[in-house]
Amino acid sequence: MSEARDTSEVRDVDVVVVGAGIAGLYMLHRLRGLGFTSQVIEAGEGVGGTWFWNRYPGARVDIESTDYSYSFSPELEQEWEWSERFPTQPELLRYINHVADRFQLRDGIQFNTRVESAHFDEATGRWDVRTDTGDRFSAQFCVMATGCLSDAKVPQFPGVDSFEGATYHTGRWPHEGVDFTGLRVGIIGTGSSGIQSIPLIAAQAEHLYVFQRTPNFSIPARNGQLDPDYLAEVKANYRERRAIAKLSVGGTNAVRPEKKVQEDPDEVRNAIYEERWQAGGLGAITGAYNNTIVDREANEIAAEFVRGKIRETVKDPAVAELLCPRDYPIGTKRICLDTNYYETFNRENVTLVDVKRAPIVEVLPHGLRTDDKGYELDAIVYATGFDAMTGALTGIDIQGRGGEKLAEKWADGPRTYLGIASVGFPNLFMITGPGSPSVLSNMITSIEQHVDWVADYVTYLRDHNLTHFEPLPEAEDKWVEHVNEVAHRTLYPTAASWYMGANIPGKTRVFMPYVGGVGTYRLLCDDIAAKDYEGFVLSGAS
Ligand code: FAD
Ligand code: NAP
């Protein structure tokens, strides 16, 4: 991190953008194209966000690369060659760096700089943005492209800082990589990050202890090199593919199932599940029928198929049973995609430890202790996730009209209009904020939709000689109610997931993303824009 400068100089820009991940980069590109002055501020020393920070072994995307890529530039689509169905983190980071270079974005970004506060100054009507480097910016608009999964969390076990071996968090992995050869390693957490890294760490370590609190449903990725003919076909049809993704439920080209689980007899359904299990991919099981996520009975049939696969794969029946998720419906936590995850528990050097039954009680200088046993460790990997959706926003001292703090306004759960803006915080945008499809979708599709909508909005304001926007309280109330109501038509809120804020002790449990689907949401946002930004109060010189 750079040393703090005490500078009284305040730099004026039209827009400050916080974050240089996929969202911040595209926002910068759009703003420049429209003639707005801007400054992107990024805490890391490079672009890429998620793909800059999460360098743990096995880190890969879980959406096919031909969908998980920018759609805004047909030239970019044609020139970039994805090598795999689900590329690794280094390839994704290369792609994002290529985008930064190709569109000459680097000189618009200040790296190694964390935004500490953003205060709306009612006298000037501008945002006063301050950083840990002592820099100050005055901006008409502030765009928070801070990421939904960027605030990495290590549980505060007693003695957590006393450990004398090496500790890592998957979301803050060292750039030079880690060699676990000959080490006794403990990994805490079996979400997507744990499940991707466990097979690779197990292959290296002398012994790996997997501390599991809640087992997750994981589907084989069946990753592989992309066939050049398939890639050529995708490239020839990119416009149609993007159009489908934009109006789909999840922001991809996945085909929508037409039948309910119960409409097929057991043998037909099992054959369909089997074929899809062999093909792999995120929606292999939950995407086979259309009522898996809304009908408990249907869901249990799908869940039991996966449990059957776990029992088939894991040789020790007691370990297999422990790996079988039972206390939430399949799909209500993000499905994991793996390569040899369940197989890893057949290795001699891997031990599964049930920390639901006997929780971790303390970390010691040479290991950790659960309620019933001590474990000697040389390294601890925290695959313990993030303060999702709100953590990066409430971690900044954001103050709106009358000095209202965003963190206080959201103490009982986030409140937004469309997941883009919040009452009391004029001219502040959030990209993929709580209340938008965001983390339930292919996030690049959702990011592009938000960035384009924001770009259109600031252009509209400029063209109409307006300076300010803010959601109306009744529009926000209605949206929050709608997000909640739609979520409760599904099984999602029945799981103690990070979508609910359940992974952070003390965080209010509210279902945060919008389950209405990417396409429906896009049309709604477009309609609001077409009605001169219905639900917002606009003000300014005109
Ligand atoms: P981020 O990539 O999180 O970027 C936000 C940036 O803001 C970061 O670089 C951060 O340093 C910076 N920042 C935050 N706060 C501040 C501050 N106060 N000051 C300065 N800078 C700040 N999504 C999918 O759709 N498919 C996937 O397969 C998938 N895989 C994932 C794998 C992992 C390991 C993780 C963690 C997430 C994954 N996601 C996936 C979600 C992923 O976060 C999004 O796909 C996407 O990369 C988000 O881009 P972003 O620009 O919105 O946010
Ligand atoms: P996560 O899903 O939140 O998983 C965190 C894990 O740590 C959980 O198993 C959790 O157990 C455990 N944990 C947390 N605190 C604990 C404690 N005090 N004691 C014991 N265990 C504890 O985090 P993640 O794996 O980093 O994934 C987050 C999201 O990022 C994913 O859902 C996905 O959206 C995205 N991601 C995607 C990919 C991909 O495949 N492309 C890869 C990584 C991440 P509980 O479940 O009991 O809380």
Side-chain angles (χ1 to χ4, degrees), residues 267-431:
E267 59 284 7
V268 173
R269 190 175 52 235
N270 281 334
I272 289 173
Y273 278 153
E274 184 60 36
E275 193 185 327
R276 293 175 69 97
W277 180 266
Q278 293 312 326
L282 210 57
I285 303 304
T286 46
Y289 293 96
N290 64 17
N291 62 339
T292 314
I293 212 72
V294 292
D295 175 336
R296 250 186 203 282
E297 183 195 57
N299 189 284
E300 181 51 27
I301 292 169
E304 194 45 36
F305 178 85
V306 177
R307 289 186 207 114
K309 287 291 176 192
I310 299 172
R311 290 187 209 105
E312 252 173 49
T313 312
V314 179
K315 290 187 187 135
D316 181 333
V319 175
E321 218 34 57
L322 206 50
L323 287 165
C324 284
R326 295 206 173 274
D327 54 6
Y328 64 95
I330 186 168
T332 55
K333 289 185 170 198
R334 179 89 168 195
I335 295 267
C336 304
L337 262 203
D338 76 90
T339 303
N340 295 331
Y341 176 63
Y342 294 118
E343 290 82 348
T344 299
F345 293 92
N346 294 330
R347 294 178 65 108
E348 297 276 303
N349 72 331
V350 174
T351 305
L352 182 65
V353 183
D354 180 3
V355 296
K356 177 152 272 169
R357 188 185 55 79
I360 296 168
V361 287
E362 64 175 332
V363 176
L364 302 161
H366 300 289
L368 60 77
R369 195 168 61 79
T370 67
D371 219 10
D372 64 355
K373 207 172 160 205
Y375 296 85
E376 295 262 315
L377 302 170
D378 304 306
I380 298 179
V381 175
Y382 291 96
T384 44
F386 304 86
D387 185 351
M389 305 210 75
T390 56
L393 291 165
T394 55
I396 301 172
D397 172 21
I398 300 176
Q399 295 187 24
R401 274 189 297 104
E404 184 183 19
K405 290 177 189 282
L406 188 74
E408 282 175 13
K409 175 177 172 182
W410 285 8
D412 294 330
R415 298 187 66 79
T416 70
Y417 181 38
L418 302 175
I420 289 184
S422 194
V423 174
F425 300 84
N427 289 10
L428 182 89
F429 292 107
M430 293 160 244
I431 304 299

Side-chain angles (χ1 to χ4, degrees), residues 216-278:
N216 248 300
F217 290 98
S218 191
I219 309 289
R222 313 274 185 224
N223 188 35
Q225 296 290 307
L226 280 177
D227 171 29
D229 291 341
Y230 170 71
L231 209 49
E233 192 196 311
V234 168
K235 286 191 176 190
N237 295 301
Y238 248 137
R239 298 280 53 79
E240 291 95 308
R241 290 179 63 88
R242 299 303 196 186
I244 290 168
K246 284 175 184 186
L247 290 177
S248 68
V249 174
T252 70
N253 272 259
V255 179
R256 263 194 104 170
E258 282 168 9
K259 279 189 182 171
K260 294 186 175 22
V261 172
Q262 296 90 334
E263 282 180 59
D264 276 333
D266 290 359
E267 59 284 7
V268 173
R269 190 175 52 235
N270 281 334
I272 289 173
Y273 278 153
E274 184 60 36
E275 193 185 327
R276 293 175 69 97
W277 180 266
Q278 293 312 326

